[in-house]
């Protein structure tokens, strides 16, 4: 199954959420969503990407400017209540004219000199930082990546698929990086509303007027409308969820009230310091961890010919985790991510794809309860939509697995092996708050040989 072939169930589930509460009611503060990365993987990834950023952009070493941004950032973290999330936050200023600041998963934050220049007051800088910090602690980047590539990430995060040491190098092979359309940096409107809300509370606690965040975003939006290239990156990666000022105004009565007069430095003199730096250097071209084939071991890339014979041992062994037990052929390997498990023969694991094997994943229902028929249909539709040519060849049929209501369906799609189609048997299981699903993958010509072992594995599942 190719990159991006699976996934998206959570996006689909999210669409069925209840409409937003009226503005006057207090909104619940958002929490991090479902994620296949561990928190430590967020932090590791952020560190690796931060090194790339520092090679690419000129980090400003002007003490006055870096201290100023650090004071604002640390105030938001400490007084603003973000310390409880325990990320190693740091703040650096980069010499770049575009009006932007971005935070990487796990905490590193880069503030462009263009942002310092464009702000009307310190509250607006604090607003962008608070919004970005909220994306970090709500783990929006890796949440989005998890939704986009459930199956492939299971193998990468569990360490099965690639021999490359760096996490970002492995993610690059799935097409995940820091590019303009990166799932890590380009946020959904839902993520934007959540980052606005948490960011506003953070600002209020830290002594900044939360309205300044919304005002600044609206100012950027207006500039984008005038095709101002300097705001393009920010406005395209943080899409306007609509009515930002009103949404925050509606919540103000519930936020800590202060005089909102915090000032960490003289913005005018900071802007003068930026001007003194002179013209910004051009960013350097740096390979963004494109690890294709670099120092790789034996795993072939996708689009290689299908192996002539993939071994299936008839001896089964049992994989046990705190959530489930499942039997599998003893010559296959397992790799577990946070909410997923991949079980596959080594010949079935390719760079960035799974040619043979079984993926088990759990998706939390945002409604708190799975609706098996609906959620199964949504999963199948999303897979078909994401993949030109994927066809549902068997509609869902009810079965029971380990005492739980379940459905089995089948798709036909493009295999990662060259000129090959594959069969994907999809089993969805109602586990109350979670939809557990299995995808059993094999090339069509070999499918009949693998079907009995897939069935044996599915029947063996025991939930704990
Ligand atoms: Zn945002």
């Amino acid at each position: 199954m190719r990159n991006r072939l699976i996934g998206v169930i959570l996006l689909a589930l999210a669409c069925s959420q209840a409409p937003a509460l009226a503005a006057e009611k207090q909104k619940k503060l958002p929490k991090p969503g479902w994620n296949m990365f561990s928190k430590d993987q967020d932090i590791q990834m952020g560190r690796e990407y931060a090194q790339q950023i520092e090679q690419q952009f000129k980090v400003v070493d002007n003490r006055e400017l870096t201290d100023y941004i650090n004071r604002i950032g640390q105030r938001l973290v400490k007084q603003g209540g973000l310390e409880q999330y325990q990320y190693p936050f740091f703040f650096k200023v980069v010499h770049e004219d575009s009006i932007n600041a971005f935070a990487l998963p796990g905490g590193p934050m880069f503030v462009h000199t263009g942002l310092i220049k464009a702000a009307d007051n310190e509250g607006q800088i604090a607003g962008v930082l608070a919004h970005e910090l909220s994306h970090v602690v709500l783990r929006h980047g890796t949440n989005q990546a998890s939704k986009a590539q459930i199956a492939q990430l299971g193998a990468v995060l569990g360490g099965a698929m690639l021999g490359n040491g760096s996490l970002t190098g492995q993610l690059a092979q799935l097409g995940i990086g820091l590019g303009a359309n990166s799932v890590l940096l380009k946020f959904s409107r839902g993520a934007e509303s959540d980052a606005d809300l948490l960011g506003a509370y953070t600002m209020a606690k830290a002594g900044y007027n939360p309205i300044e965040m919304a005002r600044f975003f609206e100012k950027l939006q207006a500039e984008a409308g005038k095709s101002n290239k300097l705001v393009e990156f920010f406005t395209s990666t943080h899409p306007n969820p609509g009515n930002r000022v009103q949404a925050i105004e509606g919540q103000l009565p519930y936020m800590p009230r202060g005089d909102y007069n915090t000032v960490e430095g003289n913005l005018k003199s900071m802007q003068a310091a930026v001007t003194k730096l002179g013209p910004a250097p051009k960013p350097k071209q740096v390979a963004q961890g494109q690890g294709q084939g670099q120092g790789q071991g034996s795993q072939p890339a996708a689009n290689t010919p299908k192996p002539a014979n993939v071994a299936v041992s008839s001896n089964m062994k049992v994989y046990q985790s705190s959530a489930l037990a499942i039997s599998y052929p003893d010559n296959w390997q397992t790799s577990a991510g946070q909410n997923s498990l991949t079980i596959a023969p080594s010949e079935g694991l390719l760079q960035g794809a799974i040619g043979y094997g079984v993926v088990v994943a759990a998706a939390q229902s945002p409604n708190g309860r799975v609706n098996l028929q609906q959620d199964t249909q949504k999963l199948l539709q999303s897979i078909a939509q994401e993949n030109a040519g994927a066809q549902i060849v068997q509609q869902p049929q009810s079965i029971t697995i380990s005492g739980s209501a379940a459905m089995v369906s089948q798709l036909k799609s493009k295999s990662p092996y060259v000129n090959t189609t594959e069969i994907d048997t999809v089993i969805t299981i109602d586990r109350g708050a979670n939809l557990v699903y299995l995808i059993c993958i094999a090339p069509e010509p070999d499918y009949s040989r693998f079907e009995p072992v897939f069935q044996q594995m599915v029947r063996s599942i025991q939930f704990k």
Side-chain angles (χ1 to χ4, degrees):
M1 178 158 275
R2 300 279 297 159
N3 295 349
R4 308 185 59 79
L5 195 55
I6 310 175
V8 270
I9 176 72
L10 292 154
L11 286 176
L13 289 172
C15 296
S16 59
Q17 267 175 315
L21 296 172
E24 298 77 29
K25 290 196 183 144
Q26 182 172 15
K27 287 184 191 159
K28 263 203 195 145
L29 280 184
K31 292 196 176 116
W34 177 82
N35 209 308
M36 287 175 67
F37 292 76
S38 68
K39 216 173 128 176
D40 285 343
Q41 283 171 324
D42 276 27
I43 294 169
Q44 185 192 343
M45 187 194 311
R47 273 200 196 115
E48 291 177 18
Y49 282 134
Q51 283 175 2
Q52 290 176 21
I53 296 290
E54 292 184 31
Q55 287 168 32
Q56 206 175 353
F57 295 100
K58 171 90 183 81
V59 174
V60 171
D61 59 8
N62 176 308
R63 189 71 188 272
E64 193 186 10
L65 284 171
T66 51
D67 283 359
Y68 177 60
I69 291 301
N70 267 284
R71 282 196 303 273
I72 300 175
Q74 291 301 342
R75 167 176 278 274
L76 291 165
V77 170
K78 296 202 170 87
Q79 270 94 305
L82 301 181
E83 224 168 13
Q84 55 167 318
Y85 296 95
Q86 297 183 318
Y87 285 100
F89 299 103
F90 69 75
F91 303 86
K92 291 192 176 179
V93 180
V94 293
H95 198 182
E96 255 290 300
D97 288 333
S98 50
I99 302 169
N100 192 22
F102 58 93
L104 301 169
M109 167 104 74
F110 295 91
V111 178
H112 288 197
T113 46
L115 171 67
I116 301 173
K117 257 179 152 167
D120 297 325
N121 54 52
E122 188 177 308
Q124 297 191 343
I125 296 175
V128 177
L129 267 56
H131 176 95
E132 288 293 334
L133 288 168
S134 300
H135 281 312
V136 171
V137 302
L138 296 172
R139 307 185 64 202
H140 285 150
T142 48
N143 165 265
Q144 293 185 157
S146 299
K147 289 177 196 167
Q149 299 196 330
I150 288 175
Q152 310 309 332
L153 281 173
V156 167
L157 299 176
M161 208 184 317
L162 307 162
N164 194 332
S166 89
L167 179 56
T168 50
Q170 296 180 28
L171 293 173
Q173 304 198 35
L174 301 185
I176 296 176
L178 294 184
N181 284 310
S182 167
V183 286
L184 295 170
L185 294 179
K186 187 170 181 156
F187 299 106
S188 68
R189 288 191 163 75
E192 283 304 296
S193 301
D194 285 354
D196 279 0
L197 183 60
L198 183 60
Y201 269 88
T202 305
M203 288 180 80
K205 283 186 201 158
Y208 291 107
N209 188 345
I211 288 296
E212 293 299 341
M213 174 171 60
R215 284 205 188 122
F216 190 64
F217 285 171
E218 299 210 331
K219 177 172 151 173
L220 296 186
Q221 210 63 47
E223 287 300 311
K226 293 185 242 166
S227 309
N228 181 345
K229 286 257 177 287
L230 295 178
V231 300
E232 209 172 51
F233 190 83
F234 191 87
T235 52
S236 70
T237 51
H238 301 264
N240 184 3
N243 299 327
R244 284 187 134 131
V245 171
Q246 274 162 278
I248 291 177
E249 268 172 353
Q251 294 299 302
L252 272 183
Y254 309 107
M255 293 182 198
R257 298 303 296 232
D259 52 13
Y260 295 151
N261 281 336
T262 295
V263 176
E264 289 287 359
N266 182 334
L267 179 59
K268 286 271 170 293
S269 78
M270 300 302 159
Q271 290 171 331
V274 168
T275 307
K276 261 193 224 148
L277 295 174
K282 278 214 155 53
K284 290 195 194 97
Q285 290 298 324
V286 179
Q288 303 241 336
Q290 298 294 342
Q292 227 82 23
Q294 285 172 8
Q296 291 299 313
S298 54
Q299 276 87 354
N303 277 325
T304 55
K306 185 174 82 59
N309 184 29
V310 174
V312 185
S313 165
S314 55
N315 291 324
M316 304 291 272
K317 67 179 183 191
V318 179
Y319 172 89
Q320 299 262 13
S321 77
S322 58
L324 60 81
I326 182 171
S327 302
Y328 66 98
D330 68 358
N331 64 335
W332 289 14
Q333 0 172 320
T334 63
S335 62
Q338 204 171 24
N339 286 297
S340 76
L341 168 69
T342 304
I343 305 174
S346 57
E347 307 93 314
L349 294 170
L350 295 99
Q351 281 180 10
I354 296 172
Y356 292 84
V358 174
V359 175
V360 188
Q364 209 172 38
S365 168
N367 299 324
R369 254 225 77 79
V370 167
N371 179 324
L372 188 57
Q373 286 210 341
Q374 262 179 31
D375 293 345
T376 299
Q377 284 298 347
K378 278 182 191 160
L379 174 63
L380 296 177
Q381 278 165 18
S382 327
I383 294 173
Q385 262 169 23
E386 277 275 300
N387 298 277
Q391 282 178 304
I392 299 172
V393 291
Q394 185 202 299
Q395 290 295 335
Q397 292 173 4
S398 294
I399 52 171
T400 303
I401 289 174
S402 181
S404 297
M407 300 193 110
V408 55
S409 341
Q410 214 164 58
L411 292 142
K412 209 183 258 196
S413 67
K414 197 166 165 274
S415 165
Y417 298 115
V418 71
N419 295 332
T420 308
T421 40
E422 71 182 21
I423 301 286
D424 309 304
T425 299
V426 180
I427 290 132
T428 46
I429 308 165
D430 180 350
R431 295 292 301 155
N434 293 306
L435 183 75
V436 171
Y437 59 99
L438 286 84
I439 305 175
C440 305
I441 304 158
E444 190 174 16
D446 294 349
Y447 195 82
S448 58
R449 194 160 69 85
F450 283 83
E451 195 165 24
V453 76
F454 289 155
Q455 283 180 359
Q456 206 178 339
M457 288 172 74
V458 169
R459 275 198 303 262
S460 74
I461 290 182
Q462 294 292 330
F463 293 106
K464 294 179 185 167

